[in-house]
């Protein structure tokens, strides 16, 4: 088993989406939350302070709320949700560009890929100390009802007896899931995973991002 040392806020693991007072972010801010969590985590663990313009060593609700307002224009909630990897990657890339971070690149692994490729990606990312944003759309298994049409981060994995389980972080807590079962949605439209790579060059960044219209 390998797990990331994820941050906590007021006893919750990562951000709890229920804490948003704004209706749109409370109901549809999951993509922005995964990006905010990712940036805060990398600022803490990888020394990329420009990713999170507050005290990453001591995350506070009030700071995170301000940060979510910065991130929201890039990954704004919408009626259809941020329902493709491309929309997510476009928003995250725009945020990184606006704060002058060029060392981070994101690529998507679509849900149409074999589940073993997803396991390889998760293993690679967690071993490198990087959370994995995950998008689940519709799923045939009622066990995943609470995660449908939802973004969440993966922050650990465990392998045993040919099975591969992942640790999902969302709503301020965690859940262990069988990745093969998660991947086998039974629907034509798929979600997928986002892989983050950090290059040696390009580390730096500005202190604030520009707001997008």
């Amino acid at each position: 088993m390998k797990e990331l040392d994820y941050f906590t806020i007021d006893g919750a693991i990562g951000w709890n989406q229920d804490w948003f007072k704004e209706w749109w972010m409370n109901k549809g801010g999951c993509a922005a939350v995964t990006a905010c969590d990712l940036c805060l985590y990398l600022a803490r663990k990888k020394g990329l302070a420009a990713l999170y313009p507050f005290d990453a060593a001591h995350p506070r609700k009030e700071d995170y709320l301000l940060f979510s307002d910065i991130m929201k224009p890039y990954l704004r909630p919408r009626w259809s949700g941020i329902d493709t990897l491309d929309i997510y990657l476009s928003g995250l890339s725009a945020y990184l560009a606006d704060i002058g971070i060029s060392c981070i690149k994101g690529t998507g692994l679509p849900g149409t890929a074999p589940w073993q490729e997803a396991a390889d990606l998760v293993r690679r990312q967690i071993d490198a100390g990087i959370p994995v944003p995950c998008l689940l759309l519709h799923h045939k298994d009622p066990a995943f009802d609470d995660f449908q049409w939802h973004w969440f981060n993966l922050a650990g994995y465990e392998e045993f007896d040919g099975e591969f389980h992942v640790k999902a972080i969302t709503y301020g807590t965690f859940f262990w899931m069988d990745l093969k079962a998660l991947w086998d949605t039974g629907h034509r439209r798929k979600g997928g995973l986002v892989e983050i790579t950090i290059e040696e060059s390009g580390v730096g960044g500005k202190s604030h991002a520009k707001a997008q219209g």
Side-chain angles (χ1 to χ4, degrees):
M1 178 188 293
K2 186 152 189 179
E3 301 176 69
L4 298 182
D5 180 22
Y6 218 81
F7 64 90
T8 61
I9 300 178
D10 284 4
I13 303 173
W15 181 255
N16 187 339
Q17 193 174 328
D18 286 337
W19 290 338
F20 285 127
K21 301 301 183 184
E22 181 189 340
W23 186 90
W24 266 115
M25 290 297 283
N26 184 276
K27 302 301 180 184
C30 55
V33 168
T34 64
C36 288
D37 271 21
L38 175 68
C39 289
L40 199 166
Y41 185 90
L42 295 180
R44 284 167 59 89
K45 297 296 185 178
K46 302 296 184 181
L48 295 167
L51 288 173
Y52 183 74
F54 303 97
D55 184 359
H58 304 94
R60 304 187 308 163
K61 274 187 178 180
E62 50 266 47
D63 292 339
Y64 195 107
L65 283 169
L66 292 172
F67 184 46
S68 69
D69 285 339
I70 294 172
M71 187 65 72
K72 183 170 63 175
Y74 299 93
L75 290 167
R76 60 177 179 80
R78 59 203 76 188
W79 285 114
S80 62
I82 295 179
D83 57 352
T84 70
L85 300 178
D86 286 343
I87 295 174
Y88 185 91
L89 287 166
S90 177
L92 180 61
S93 296
Y95 171 71
L96 295 174
D98 281 350
I99 62 171
I101 293 285
S102 60
C103 63
I104 296 178
K105 306 295 181 186
T107 56
L109 179 72
T112 52
W115 78 268
Q116 293 90 341
E117 288 188 27
D120 288 343
L121 186 155
V122 171
R123 187 186 301 108
R124 186 165 61 244
Q125 290 282 270
I126 301 303
D127 288 352
I130 302 173
V132 183
C134 175
L135 169 63
L136 176 63
L137 299 178
H138 291 305
H139 203 290
K140 63 181 180 181
D141 187 343
F144 294 97
D145 279 355
D146 290 340
F147 304 93
Q148 294 199 63
W149 225 262
H150 190 54
W151 282 91
F152 47 92
N153 280 331
L154 304 182
Y157 69 87
E158 183 176 16
E159 301 179 78
F160 55 90
D161 295 334
E163 295 185 358
F164 192 95
H165 288 218
V166 293
K167 183 180 184 180
I169 306 291
T170 189
Y171 285 101
T173 190
F174 69 90
F175 305 83
W176 283 97
M177 304 175 175
D178 182 322
L179 181 62
K180 184 177 181 181
L182 172 67
W183 209 246
D184 183 18
T185 67
H187 290 268
R188 181 181 60 82
R189 285 198 66 191
K190 307 288 185 180
L193 303 176
V194 170
E195 181 169 14
I196 299 295
T197 55
I198 303 175
E199 303 169 351
E200 290 286 335
S201 61
V203 175
K206 306 170 186 176
S207 58
H208 298 284
K210 296 185 294 182
Q212 292 187 333

